Amino acid sequence: MERVPRVIPPDPRLLERRRRIATQIRAARLDANLSQQEVITRTGMDRSAYQDIERGRASPLLDNLLRIADAIGVPLADLVRE
């Protein structure tokens, strides 16, 4: 029988950190005077995927964080700084 990987739901502390990163992404985008659509176009990401990241609903892949940082024109560290 094939095993199905068990998905562990994130704990509240992790969700709060994800929301802080989402807030930092949005703030950096607004500081750069970019619309969500401009970032989406520059990254090549799916609209709903980007919006879920910026709202803190989705956990972004590292590759997508790098794409977002490049599209906004900020170092990755600015997006994930705690």
Side-chain angles (χ1 to χ4, degrees), residues 13-80:
R13 290 175 297 159
L14 184 62
L15 291 174
E16 179 53 36
R17 291 170 80 186
R18 184 192 301 168
R19 283 190 283 275
R20 280 197 309 266
I21 290 170
T23 298
Q24 290 168 191
I25 290 171
R26 183 172 194 275
R29 176 180 61 78
L30 293 173
D31 285 347
N33 201 29
L34 296 171
S35 68
Q36 282 188 346
Q37 185 56 52
E38 289 171 307
V39 175
I40 290 164
T41 299
R42 291 178 183 193
T43 61
M45 292 177 64
D46 177 75
R47 173 185 298 278
S48 64
Y50 177 80
Q51 289 174 335
D52 284 348
I53 290 169
E54 194 172 290
R55 291 180 182 135
R57 293 182 185 163
S59 180
L61 297 172
L62 177 58
D63 290 354
N64 287 337
L65 282 174
L66 292 167
R67 286 182 183 104
I68 292 167
D70 289 347
I72 295 173
V74 297
L76 175 62
D78 287 0
L79 302 181
V80 297

